Amino acid sequence: MQTSTPGPKPRMAVHKFASCDGCQLTFLNMGETLLQLADMVELVHFAEAGPVAPDAEVDIAFIEGSVTTEHDLERIKQIRSHSGFIVAFGACATAGGIQALRNFADAGEWLSAVYATPEYIDSLATSTPMSDHVKVDLEIWGCPPNRDQVLGAIRAWLYGTLPKQSQDKVCMECKRQHAVCVLVAKGMPCMGPVTQTGCGALCPSFGRGCYSCYGPAEALNTDSLAGWFEGLGLLPEDITRQFRHLNNSAPGFRDAATNIISTDAGHGH
Amino acid sequence: MSQRTQGRSILPGVNVDDVFKDHDRYFLPRQSFQSLIDQLTLQGYGCVGPVMRDGAIIFDRLDMASQLPQGARDRQAPGYYRLENGGGPRWFSWANGPQALKPYLFPSREVLWEGTVDEDGGLNFKERIIEPEPLAVLGVRACDLAALAIHDAHFLKGPSPDAHYARRREQLFIVAVHCSHPASTCFCVSTGDGPAATRGYDIALAELDEGFVIDAGSDRGKLILDQLPLSKVDEAQLDQARRELNAAVAVQTRALPEGPLNRILFENLDHPRWDEVAERCLACGNCTSVCPTCFCASENEVPSLDGQTSEHSREWSSCFTQGHSYISGHVIRPDIRTRYRQWLTHKLGSWIDQYGRSGCVGCGRCIAWCPVGIDLTEETAAICKDARDE
């Protein structure tokens, strides 16, 4: 048993890149469980919680955020070199996050429109996931991932196994929660049928459509859902927006939105 | 009412006009319906019944008749469900909602057993024993009763009956209501399972404006009936109840093709229709979740962070998930085509070889609650049509 084994505790780091810090809060919001975790691993670097040692050798590193600057690129390569097992967690680290919307636009033009002195901003034209730049050992999707996923991953890693991650769609969990389907009963666009579960079907349980926080599911059929949205009266730009949300640059959603735009252009709108 | 549908057979050997012949029937005035809920409560049952919530008829705890969905009508079509207020005094003028009995006997998630590490490092396993409260469910339809009989066969028969299901089932009291308002998605006449509740209930009701034609289907049901302010049912009331059942037969337009589907479907595993439906199907599993006979579940180990305990839990799964066909590092049904085919060929085909009947009871839930409106009667007909043309 890990807890009863004497000897050095595994060393763990939590790093932040371009992000809102919400994924790190998944740790901080654990309450007493965080103290239990701190007994089992040595938290070497976790700036938001206190310890700062970004260059220390660790056995496992959690990475939040996406790569948006040259400096980010250097940092993640550096972290890779001194970290045993790397977990990219959250929509930014796994798919580029909401800020990856810049991937579909002229980032330079946005900079000059938003900032009074854009020359102070030194960023890349794209926001990209960690796996585009280094070998990632495990991805935990979600905006933010839930505590059970994070704890389950750490537990499995301590056991020396890979965590079991559900590939089910949000609909499966929605029905387990006995939420009434907002798509069928209200005609409300909902991304549940193309989105990975993990949130506990949070939004549909409160009577609104899924935002796709956990990214594209496997066995994806975005064309069919987009077609149904069109039947509900959504305009092509509204449907595109459904796919260009928190996981806009995850390949499944990126391609779905591109398809809608090119089909729409083909119709001469 | 056309001559053709008048008195149409709804079960082998059962005619709508015969439904009210065999038992002693009584009349329960509408204003006395609360006495039924009160008597069930007095006998120790928690009451569950239909209520309106979030735009659908759902089953929930119920103490008062006033909580019932008075005047509610459900308008259903492929991928579509809306409630409307049709007016009038009735509480059961709707076909169904997304669920009825299934979650009460086969919960969507439950812990089956737990494992703990003892002081010597040994492993102990302990079954989770449940003690469910007696439950009375009001408003159960004929299709739900047919599905219950299938679940009984699946969970209770055979060498290892499911202990949790068995304990909940023993405690279940069923108040069925004959279906007078099938939805456009309903086809229980075609499967032989409705609209009349003819078996498997403790009490059955036929709703009229002024009250209910009522009869007991079990000794437990008789005990409750003895405590109610019943009067003799008159012939006009029985006539009205019969007319409404006949109308509920006549209104159904959907049907499954004639069989034998277990042969036809398996002879058409390479039919192009599977590719076509796979273009529409989302593999979201909604059809299987709302299906009252689907029973697939996944079992998961949920260890505590310190690794000293682990809960073994079971949750609803579906043949549309990747995990359903995952075996030793390999997913046997990786695409939507093979998953849809698995659902339909099992539900309508191999189910017959496994349980002696089709797994479909004609409730139409999979049609209405499919987010993209896939209609299994239409898909099955498309496959069978070509098979017959050959």
Side-chain angles (χ1 to χ4, degrees), chain B residues 20-294:
Chain B
F20 298 104
K21 277 184 182 162
D22 48 348
H23 289 65
D24 290 331
R25 312 263 159 187
Y26 304 93
F27 180 73
L28 176 67
R30 182 169 296 277
Q31 64 270 22
S32 303
F33 190 83
Q34 183 63 40
S35 64
L36 172 59
I37 297 175
D38 294 343
Q39 279 306 321
L40 288 166
T41 308
L42 268 176
Q43 298 285 331
Y45 291 102
C47 286
V48 162
V51 296
M52 284 189 278
R53 198 192 76 198
D54 298 333
I57 298 286
I58 61 125
F59 281 75
D60 206 347
R61 295 305 292 241
L62 193 79
D63 304 309
M64 305 296 294
S66 57
Q67 292 168 264
L68 290 163
Q70 190 185 344
R73 303 273 195 283
D74 51 346
R75 189 177 289 276
Q76 300 192 45
Y80 184 91
Y81 185 103
R82 293 290 188 282
L83 285 184
E84 293 169 359
N85 188 350
R90 296 198 184 196
W91 295 315
F92 301 97
S93 297
W94 40 267
N96 55 34
Q99 302 287 349
L101 288 175
K102 180 161 101 169
Y104 290 103
L105 291 166
F106 172 43
S108 57
R109 183 175 282 127
E110 64 181 321
V111 175
L112 299 182
W113 44 268
E114 56 203 313
T116 51
V117 180
D118 64 26
E119 284 171 3
D120 308 323
L123 288 176
N124 296 302
F125 297 97
K126 196 175 161 196
E127 184 187 0
R128 188 68 67 89
I129 308 287
I130 58 160
E131 286 173 20
E133 67 161 341
L135 208 62
V137 184
L138 283 76
V140 176
R141 300 303 193 187
C143 52
D144 301 321
L145 291 174
L148 177 65
I150 288 173
H151 268 191
D152 284 351
H154 172 74
F155 285 107
L156 298 178
K157 308 223 164 91
S160 41
D162 187 279
H164 285 200
Y165 183 95
R167 291 197 180 93
R168 294 192 177 98
R169 183 69 176 95
E170 287 158 15
Q171 306 279 17
L172 185 69
F173 187 101
I174 293 173
V175 181
V177 180
H178 298 300
C179 191
S180 56
H181 288 69
S184 83
T185 40
C186 291
F187 54 100
C188 62
V189 173
S190 147
T191 62
D193 294 308
T198 55
R199 58 194 165 150
Y201 58 80
D202 295 295
I203 288 175
L205 305 166
E207 187 177 31
L208 308 173
D209 280 0
E210 68 272 27
F212 297 85
V213 178
I214 185 169
D215 75 289
S218 69
D219 292 339
R220 291 191 304 177
K222 283 198 187 83
L223 285 175
I224 297 286
L225 246 57
D226 287 345
Q227 305 302 316
L228 301 179
L230 303 178
S231 59
K232 225 170 126 35
V233 68
D234 65 41
E235 202 49 44
Q237 288 165 332
L238 282 178
D239 269 351
Q240 178 66 21
R242 270 188 217 108
R243 267 199 302 277
E244 296 200 9
L245 266 184
N246 269 308
V249 171
V251 77
Q252 294 189 23
T253 53
R254 278 188 166 75
L256 280 175
E258 296 286 327
L261 293 178
N262 49 347
R263 184 177 62 72
I264 299 170
L265 290 174
F266 281 97
E267 282 173 1
N268 284 279
L269 293 179
D270 294 318
H271 197 286
R273 186 74 181 194
W274 302 119
D275 295 304
E276 202 270 333
V277 71
E279 285 179 17
R280 286 175 284 135
C281 176
L282 302 169
C284 60
N286 273 302
C287 49
T288 59
S289 291
V290 297
C291 177
T293 72
C294 270

Side-chain angles (χ1 to χ4, degrees), chain A residues 11-15 17 44-45 53-61 63 74-86 134 137:
Chain A
R11 290 157 63 84
M12 180 172 141
V14 180
H15 295 277
F17 284 75
V44 177
H45 172 77
D55 300 323
E57 293 268 336
V58 294
D59 300 298
I60 183 168
I63 315 289
E74 288 162 26
R75 271 179 67 216
I76 187 58
K77 285 177 182 157
Q78 181 62 26
I79 290 166
R80 176 69 274 183
S81 72
H82 60 72
S83 306
F85 192 86
I86 283 196
V134 294
D137 300 292

Side-chain angles (χ1 to χ4, degrees), chain A residues 155-175:
Chain A
R155 180 63 263 169
W157 177 76
L158 289 170
Y159 281 142
T161 61
L162 281 173
K164 188 178 171 181
Q165 289 185 303
S166 175
Q167 298 280 333
D168 293 357
K169 280 150 187 157
V170 169
C171 299
M172 285 301 302
E173 186 56 26
C174 200
K175 286 289 183 285

Side-chain angles (χ1 to χ4, degrees), chain A residues 226-254:
Chain A
W228 193 263
F229 286 169
E230 195 179 351
L232 293 177
L234 267 71
L235 297 170
E237 52 264 41
D238 298 328
I239 304 171
T240 309
R241 222 169 276 135
Q242 291 285 330
F243 291 101
R244 285 202 173 158
H245 219 289
L246 301 158
N247 285 284
N248 56 73
S249 288
F253 290 170
R254 183 192 60 206

Side-chain angles (χ1 to χ4, degrees), chain B residues 266-336:
Chain B
F266 281 97
E267 282 173 1
N268 284 279
L269 293 179
D270 294 318
H271 197 286
R273 186 74 181 194
W274 302 119
D275 295 304
E276 202 270 333
V277 71
E279 285 179 17
R280 286 175 284 135
C281 176
L282 302 169
C284 60
N286 273 302
C287 49
T288 59
S289 291
V290 297
C291 177
T293 72
C294 270
F295 48 68
C296 281
S298 65
E299 295 193 7
N300 306 294
E301 214 52 60
V302 188
S304 62
L305 182 61
D306 65 8
Q308 299 302 294
T309 60
S310 183
E311 288 186 337
H312 186 86
S313 83
R314 168 170 74 183
E315 64 182 26
W316 288 359
S317 186
S318 165
C319 45
F320 286 94
T321 68
Q322 189 179 57
H324 193 271
S325 70
Y326 175 86
I327 295 172
S328 306
H330 182 64
V331 176
I332 293 168
R333 291 185 287 274
D335 57 1
I336 297 179

